[in-house]
Amino acid sequence: MDYQKIIHQIAEEAKKELGKGKIANYIPALANIPSDKFGIAIETIKGERYSFGDYDEPFSIQSISKVFTLMMAFTKENTKLWQRVDVEPSGNPFNSLVQLEFEAGIPRNPFINAGALVVTDILLDHYASPKASILDYVRRLSGSDDVYFDYEVAASEREFGYTNTALVNFLKSHKNIHNHIDKVLDVYFHQCSIRMSCQQLAHAFLTLANHGVHPDTKEQILSRSQAKRINAIMLTCGFYDQAGEFAFCVGMPGKSGVGGGIVAVIPEELAIAVWSPELNEHGNSKAGISVLEQFTTLTGLSIF
Ligand code: GLN
């Protein structure tokens, strides 16, 4: 398959979406990103790489970090993890408070903010320096030491993080947060602030496309079953209240972030990362979704 030719073709079409979405501005430090940034990176299990545009430029991965922290917590807790966070699609916005009240402090899934805060709390139980451990883990998966926190973005989110503060307090009142809420928020805002390029993200997600085996080191990072389960959660919950539409139109497990990034995988085949900062009303990259929709249409690839 000539992926390079396909992504050039796709990029031209997807760029028509530019100017139609909105950059996330509830985190002020994210609002300054030029809206025409646009990158695509594909990496196959065999190690072939294809790229387009700003594929090499780091951006704020935001909620994509929830996949990495879930992988870490799942490794530590295994199935015990599901006592504290469920695996059902939420059908609600990523920062919804309402559902959490109905469900007595057990978040619907690990990819909405409430669920990710519980996962982060679990990491605080297992790691003495969770921020450093998260960064190490992401560097290991992406095969690159050139992965950092963006302290300005983390501080900006802390300053305006009223909803996340409400969520963590509510979880704490239901005893589903064990550590001090300030510590949980600090780690959470830093994990969201991690900057990575499309190329680094595609490489990092290859482990999930490869049954949990790191493509370079051949290390079993997750068991085959754990990798399968994380892909299942990405498919059903990776795009919040647009997860159904994403499965319907794209047909790949994936995860988005309000920095405008999306990463998705075809197990046993490849990982693809896209970056375009303008978002739709669900908080997912508008052009990014267009890229992935065309990608599976033109290649015929899909998990279905
Ligand atoms: N850091 C963001 C938040 O907590 C992440 C949200 C997202 O990427 N969907 O609001």
Side-chain angles (χ1 to χ4, degrees):
M1 194 112 53
D2 190 347
Y3 288 128
Q4 195 60 49
K5 191 168 159 214
I6 290 173
I7 55 181
H8 272 86
Q9 191 182 339
I10 289 171
E12 288 318 311
E13 193 57 33
K15 278 184 165 179
K16 293 184 185 153
E17 295 296 314
L18 297 183
K20 294 187 188 163
K22 282 207 181 84
I23 296 195
N25 58 5
Y26 74 100
I27 304 171
L30 286 184
N32 310 324
I33 313 293
S35 58
D36 58 352
K37 290 288 177 189
F38 186 88
I40 308 176
I42 295 177
E43 190 166 338
T44 68
I45 298 288
K46 295 184 200 129
E48 300 142 342
R49 290 178 166 194
Y50 308 90
S51 52
F52 182 89
D54 302 310
Y55 72 94
D56 206 14
E57 190 172 321
F59 60 92
S60 194
I61 67 168
Q62 292 297 319
S63 281
I64 297 170
S65 67
K66 292 169 180 164
V67 180
F68 299 131
T69 50
L70 178 64
M71 291 168 77
M72 293 173 78
F74 200 10
T75 302
K76 292 286 183 190
E77 299 259 313
N78 213 347
T79 52
K80 254 192 0 213
L81 183 62
W82 313 125
Q83 292 169 11
R84 291 183 58 191
V85 56
D86 208 345
V87 293
E88 286 298 335
S90 70
N92 271 310
F94 61 83
N95 52 6
S96 171
L97 281 152
V98 180
Q99 201 160 44
L100 201 55
E101 178 157 24
F102 280 118
E103 292 172 354
I106 303 293
R108 269 286 169 111
N109 67 65
F111 293 156
I112 51 173
N113 288 10
L117 287 161
V118 169
V119 168
T120 300
D121 182 59
I122 290 169
L123 295 185
L124 275 147
D125 286 339
H126 288 284
Y127 293 94
S129 311
K131 286 193 275 188
S133 301
I134 292 169
L135 210 49
D136 279 354
Y137 189 83
V138 176
R139 286 176 174 168
R140 185 148 61 101
L141 286 187
S142 61
S144 161
D145 284 340
D146 196 16
V147 174
Y148 298 96
F149 295 123
D150 184 328
Y151 293 102
E152 194 199 333
V153 169
S156 176
E157 193 166 1
R158 178 80 192 91
E159 191 179 348
F160 295 92
Y162 307 115
T163 309
N164 284 319
T165 308
L167 286 168
V168 82
N169 273 292
F170 192 77
L171 289 162
K172 182 94 181 165
S173 77
H174 279 281
K175 304 199 171 13
N176 202 6
I177 291 287
H178 299 167
N179 296 279
H180 194 289
I181 56 166
D182 289 344
K183 284 196 180 158
V184 178
L185 287 173
D186 182 57
V187 177
Y188 174 76
F189 292 140
H190 280 84
Q191 76 186 49
C192 289
S193 83
I194 290 175
R195 286 164 58 82
M196 290 172 81
S197 66
C198 289
Q199 189 159 55
Q200 289 169 325
L201 277 169
H203 195 74
F205 271 62
L206 268 185
T207 293
L208 288 169
N210 196 29
H211 300 300
V213 177
H214 194 295
D216 304 331
T217 62
K218 309 297 174 218
E219 186 189 349
Q220 190 86 46
I221 304 276
L222 295 174
S223 71
R224 195 179 170 107
S225 157
Q226 286 171 329
K228 180 181 72 178
R229 294 204 189 291
I230 293 197
N231 286 339
I233 304 172
M234 288 205 291
L235 184 79
T236 52
C237 312
F239 297 84
Y240 318 112
D241 43 344
Q242 199 182 10
E245 190 185 339
F246 191 83
F248 186 76
C249 297
V250 178
M252 296 172 91
K255 185 75 200 81
S256 64
V258 292
I262 300 180
V263 201
V265 298
I266 297 280
E268 299 183 358
E269 196 68 40
L270 56 80
I272 174 168
V274 190
W275 175 41
S276 170
E278 289 182 351
L279 310 177
N280 64 20
E281 64 277 23
H282 307 283
N284 301 319
S285 170
K286 232 175 145 54
I289 291 194
S290 165
V291 166
L292 292 167
E293 186 173 354
Q294 292 180 70
F295 180 71
T296 49
T297 303
L298 291 177
T299 59
L301 290 167
S302 162
I303 62 158
F304 298 110

